Amino acid sequence: MFTTPSGFSPHLACAEPGEEEAPQEGPGPGPGACLSDGPPITSASLDTLIQNLVPTADYYPEAKVRKFGPKILQLLTEWTETFPSDFRDEKMVGHLKDIIHRIAPCDEAYWKTLNQVLQKLSQRLSLMSQGEESIVKVSLNASSDKLVAFKTKPPPIQKDILSICNDPYTLAQQLTHVELEHLSRIGPEEFVQAFVQKDPLDGTQPCFSDQKKKTSNLEAYVRWFNRLCYLVATEICMPAKKKQRAQVIEFFIDVARECFNIGNFNSLMAIISGMNMSPVSRLKKTWSKAKTAKFFILEHQMDPTGNFYNYRTALRGAAHRSQTANSNRERIVIPFFSLLIKDIYFLNEGCANRLPNGHVNFEKFVELARQVGEFMTWKQVECPFEEDRAILHYLHTAPIFSEDGLYLASYESESPENQVEKDRWKALSTVTGKTTF
């Protein structure tokens, strides 16, 4: 049986071929049973879903405005709060206002509530625009990273992380600021857009356009993870002396441990990944000078063995702590984002949208909603730590080496040990115009 990374089996909701439910006789919702009465159901056809909402001569759902008005208000409120990007299109805003003008005259209380919905929507759209502007600024700053790629040591980098912050607890807290800032900008619609596919059973469904823009926050978060990996590796490879490099390694180990204690698993994995990059891991003399016992413990926690069993256990512990917490400090849960994306991807790809009988696979979408909903809860936590603008600025703008730059710095710190490394060092040195042999 195929099981997705989240432990959800796609076969749980899959009916065997030939098990299509017999259509019901008489008026009403038709196949799949009534959605409002009886035990919960795991599937229904699209026709059934629509039929429960559309009145007929024999079937009439609650239709009086005073009855369904509050429900529409709730729907519009949750829609605009959860998927504000749907209303960036003026046409969609026009539809929203049209619905409001139809409902509002029925009750004065509706006017106040609906005006609040529009105001909050406007605020959210404004915040989204500001977030996109900051993403562009960070991208422009990051575009200069490759300029350092082929510089020989000493590199043209005047500052290092220890001159900006030599307290691992403070740096872990500032990393948590960055993580929560990124998380706050990611809406649930970005997960949908990231994996959207045209339903082969629905010939009328359009493929989404402008997908890049609709997943920009998600992609910016992935870029941040990669930047942090390379920043860690750069900081370790930069110092000319072995003792200084060992000191930086020990510093980042302490930062990673504090990230684990906070519940910031994304920064933790980025730091571990940066320290495990080949240009860093090959520095055997440097590592021999560093105290690494705590690092191996952290590596064990994030070990991919058993589908990241240890990490998932720690994540569940952090999630439980968050649910029973009395302070924002204890509510922090920042998942290893790439693995979360992979979980959702495999759940989406491994489970069919429709069952063999053509019904919508409710269980799949309930599980998707559970995973995304859990993420949405975590991202709403306000960071309890005080901002340090100097550290945050450094994290976002400090020059970093490219992969080739890291190898060159690494070889100049500790000479190549085999022919493959010697050939690579020679090739890199040829590009920089420096003679190494």
Side-chain angles (χ1 to χ4, degrees), residues 75 81 100 129 152 181 226 242 277 335 386 396:
L75 172 63
E81 288 180 352
I100 289 174
S129 297
T152 56
E181 177 71 18
N226 293 334
K242 180 169 50 181
M277 291 181 71
E386 185 177 348
H396 284 303

Side-chain angles (χ1 to χ4, degrees), residues 306-317:
N307 192 21
F308 288 90
Y309 176 81
N310 294 334
Y311 158 70
R312 293 183 189 279
T313 301
L315 181 66
R316 285 196 297 272

Side-chain angles (χ1 to χ4, degrees), residues 10 22 30 105 118 123-124 134 167-168 183 186 193 250 259-260 281 285 351 355 368 393 397 401:
L118 285 175
Q123 292 171 358
R124 287 188 179 87
S134 65
D167 178 16
L183 291 186
I186 300 174
Q193 296 294 340
E250 292 178 355
C259 285
F260 179 86
S281 62
K285 295 178 182 178
C351 303
L355 299 178
L368 281 172
H393 179 75
T397 63
F401 289 136

Side-chain angles (χ1 to χ4, degrees), residues 315-385:
L315 181 66
R316 285 196 297 272
H320 177 72
R321 179 186 68 184
S322 178
Q323 292 172 353
T324 58
N326 295 316
S327 66
N328 280 345
R329 169 65 178 78
E330 296 174 326
R331 289 192 182 96
I332 297 173
V333 183
I334 303 173
F336 174 27
F337 193 65
S338 293
L339 186 59
L340 174 65
I341 293 293
K342 187 179 292 185
D343 284 353
I344 295 174
Y345 173 80
F346 278 113
L347 176 59
N348 187 56
E349 293 296 306
C351 303
N353 290 342
R354 309 288 185 89
L355 299 178
N357 60 11
H359 288 184
V360 176
N361 187 350
F362 279 8
E363 191 165 355
K364 168 186 175 175
F365 292 107
V366 167
E367 178 62 13
L368 281 172
R370 184 194 68 77
Q371 292 193 28
V372 175
E374 195 171 41
F375 169 82
M376 297 303 292
T377 299
W378 296 337
K379 84 179 199 112
Q380 292 170 5
V381 175
E382 292 186 13
C383 189
F385 309 121

Side-chain angles (χ1 to χ4, degrees), residues 55-126:
T56 67
D58 303 303
Y59 173 68
Y60 206 73
E62 295 183 19
K64 293 183 179 179
V65 172
R66 292 189 181 277
K67 287 187 176 181
F68 70 69
K71 296 180 180 179
I72 292 182
L73 279 175
Q74 182 181 2
L75 172 63
L76 293 178
T77 300
E78 294 188 7
W79 187 3
T80 54
E81 288 180 352
T82 309
F83 300 101
S85 63
D86 285 353
F87 298 91
R88 304 179 85 166
D89 185 349
E90 292 183 7
K91 187 176 180 180
M92 283 296 295
V93 175
H95 289 318
L96 176 61
K97 290 181 177 179
D98 181 56
I99 295 174
I100 289 174
H101 285 124
R102 289 171 181 264
I103 299 174
C106 302
D107 193 314
E108 284 188 24
Y110 292 171
W111 276 113
K112 183 177 180 180
T113 302
L114 291 169
N115 278 328
Q116 290 175 347
V117 168
L118 285 175
Q119 290 174 4
K120 290 181 179 179
L121 175 60
S122 177
Q123 292 171 358
R124 287 188 179 87
L125 292 176
S126 177

Side-chain angles (χ1 to χ4, degrees), residues 206-364:
C207 291
F208 287 93
S209 60
D210 197 19
Q211 186 168 319
K212 269 285 186 187
K213 188 173 183 179
K214 293 181 179 180
T215 59
S216 59
N217 295 302
L218 190 151
E219 291 168 8
Y221 193 30
V222 173
R223 287 197 301 271
W224 154 250
F225 179 91
N226 293 334
R227 172 177 171 77
L228 183 54
C229 291
Y230 275 83
L231 178 61
V232 169
T234 298
E235 295 288 342
I236 295 173
C237 290
M238 263 201 308
K241 296 182 179 180
K242 180 169 50 181
K243 182 179 179 180
Q244 293 174 323
R245 294 194 297 274
Q247 184 181 6
V248 176
I249 287 176
E250 292 178 355
F251 174 73
F252 275 116
I253 291 174
D254 288 336
V255 174
R257 185 178 64 169
E258 183 58 20
C259 285
F260 179 86
N261 293 335
I262 289 174
N264 181 357
F265 297 104
N266 201 57
S267 288
L268 167 62
M269 181 55 88
I271 293 171
I272 292 176
S273 299
M275 298 176 78
N276 278 325
M277 291 181 71
S278 295
V280 177
S281 62
R282 66 168 297 277
L283 298 173
K284 297 178 182 178
K285 295 178 182 178
T286 299
W287 281 92
S288 68
K289 291 292 183 181
K291 299 175 183 178
T292 56
K294 290 180 289 186
F295 178 67
F296 297 134
I297 293 174
L298 292 171
E299 271 195 317
H300 178 70
Q301 288 291 339
M302 304 304 284
D303 188 345
T305 302
N307 192 21
F308 288 90
Y309 176 81
N310 294 334
Y311 158 70
R312 293 183 189 279
T313 301
L315 181 66
R316 285 196 297 272
H320 177 72
R321 179 186 68 184
S322 178
Q323 292 172 353
T324 58
N326 295 316
S327 66
N328 280 345
R329 169 65 178 78
E330 296 174 326
R331 289 192 182 96
I332 297 173
V333 183
I334 303 173
F336 174 27
F337 193 65
S338 293
L339 186 59
L340 174 65
I341 293 293
K342 187 179 292 185
D343 284 353
I344 295 174
Y345 173 80
F346 278 113
L347 176 59
N348 187 56
E349 293 296 306
C351 303
N353 290 342
R354 309 288 185 89
L355 299 178
N357 60 11
H359 288 184
V360 176
N361 187 350
F362 279 8
E363 191 165 355
K364 168 186 175 175

